[in-house]
Amino acid sequence: MPAASANPLGNYLKDRRGRLDPATFGFAGGRRRTPGLRREEVAQRANISPTWYTWLEQGRGGAPSAEVLGRIADGLMLTESEREHLFMLGLGHPPGARYKAAAGVTPRLQRVLDALEVSPAIVKTALWDVVAWNRAAAAVLTDYSKLPPAERNILRLLFSDSRVRAAQPDWQRVARFVVGAFRADATRAGAGVEIDRFVDEMSRLSPEFEKLWLANDVHAYGEGVKRLRHAELGMLELEFSAFGVDGRSDLGMVVFNPVKAKDARRLRAYIDAKAAAA
């Protein structure tokens, strides 16, 4: 067996610290036998024993705790993908979820949405804030561009916007499903504090939401069929599929497709007419 594969965790740590510039972290320069940070400098940044960190690189330290691996990842300025790889090497599983608010989507992902001309598509956060959408979604679901960012939340609209509520032929069933799916998404993302804050706000806004939240139902939002009563097109039946965004655990994409060919034709004509009018 090659030496490099005998201690994959230690070799990965050594490689990552070798890529860092000591001056960036305020460590003295001068002559160094090897590039990057020294072991004791990584230990200092991670607030752990230099001896123990040395043993860890040498494969003698035993299994590290998740807390220690997290501090080492922070000390080495690892990206989310690198952090996950470190945990897989050290513990055999990815790190626990760490929720962070999404700042938006990349232009490339927006172009993916825009390429779906007849299929309404959105990108939402774990708290179900809509951060991106395409022209079809604006025409068929909600024109999020006309709402302040703080109001572009699916649950907020479902429970407080009369237009959105009227578009649901079976509002009670939809609301129960959405609350359960939101609970699963937000919990999986590690958004404990954010959940509490949002739930408190929504419970003050809507007793109906509070009642459904206290029911503690959990639902998987993978795929299904959504019936929508559109103000101009009438009843629509849309299949939906939810996808994770690779490299962005905080985001999910949902795509709606017309079930019937005649609905697809109606949607295309309606979306084109809206675009022409605009």
Side-chain angles (χ1 to χ4, degrees):
M1 177 181 293
S5 62
N7 180 21
L9 174 61
N11 283 294
Y12 187 66
L13 290 171
K14 183 177 180 180
D15 176 81
R16 292 299 100 179
R17 70 178 172 86
R19 295 170 182 250
L20 299 176
D21 180 5
T24 301
F25 304 99
F27 295 117
R31 294 180 61 84
R32 290 176 177 249
R33 290 187 300 171
T34 57
L37 298 186
R38 299 186 177 104
R39 287 170 175 163
E40 58 268 25
E41 291 168 342
V42 174
Q44 177 183 333
R45 285 183 49 76
N47 194 27
I48 60 177
S49 162
T51 299
W52 193 87
Y53 178 79
T54 298
W55 287 350
L56 189 63
E57 274 202 10
Q58 294 174 345
R60 299 191 293 139
S65 68
E67 179 186 357
V68 167
L69 274 187
R71 294 209 300 266
I72 292 173
D74 291 339
L76 292 172
M77 302 289 287
L78 298 186
T79 65
E80 289 300 314
S81 296
E82 291 169 338
R83 176 187 290 268
E84 180 175 332
H85 186 66
L86 177 68
F87 271 71
M88 293 301 297
L89 292 176
L91 297 176
H93 60 74
R98 300 189 309 161
Y99 178 76
K100 58 181 181 180
V105 303
T106 63
R108 180 173 296 176
L109 183 53
Q110 183 62 57
R111 288 193 290 272
V112 171
L113 297 179
D114 293 340
L116 302 170
E117 297 180 354
V118 186
S119 300
I122 62 171
V123 174
K124 63 180 181 60
T125 70
L127 292 179
W128 288 45
D129 291 318
V130 176
V131 293
W133 57 92
N134 62 4
R135 190 176 69 175
V140 176
L141 303 176
T142 296
D143 190 350
Y144 298 99
S145 67
K146 295 182 178 179
L147 300 175
E151 296 181 16
R152 296 170 186 168
N153 180 274
I154 294 172
L155 281 90
R156 194 184 307 279
L157 292 169
L158 184 63
F159 283 90
S160 65
D161 189 306
S162 59
R163 183 194 61 82
V164 173
R165 182 167 183 149
Q168 318 301 321
D170 188 352
W171 183 90
Q172 187 67 35
R173 182 188 62 80
V174 171
R176 184 181 300 110
F177 175 80
V178 166
V179 171
F182 162 79
R183 183 192 299 274
D185 275 2
T187 302
R188 187 184 305 113
V193 173
E194 292 79 7
I195 290 176
D196 292 342
R197 187 182 304 125
F198 181 80
V199 168
D200 286 346
E201 179 186 352
M202 286 296 301
S203 295
R204 292 192 299 270
L205 178 70
S206 170
E208 292 169 306
F209 170 87
E210 183 178 30
K211 181 180 179 180
L212 291 173
W213 181 258
L214 292 176
N216 280 306
D217 291 336
V218 177
H219 298 290
Y221 192 77
E223 59 182 22
V225 176
K226 179 179 181 63
R227 297 178 67 242
L228 187 71
R229 186 186 293 115
H230 192 271
E232 298 179 55
L233 292 173
M235 192 64 68
L236 295 171
E237 196 170 16
L238 305 169
E239 294 177 330
F240 68 84
S241 299
F243 307 90
V245 178
D246 193 26
R248 293 289 302 272
S249 59
D250 53 323
L251 297 179
M253 182 167 70
V254 186
V255 179
F256 298 85
N257 286 306
V259 173
K260 301 174 182 177
K262 66 176 183 179
D263 283 347
R265 292 191 295 269
R266 291 166 61 211
L267 276 180
R268 179 177 292 279
Y270 178 73
I271 293 168
D272 288 346
K274 294 274 287 187

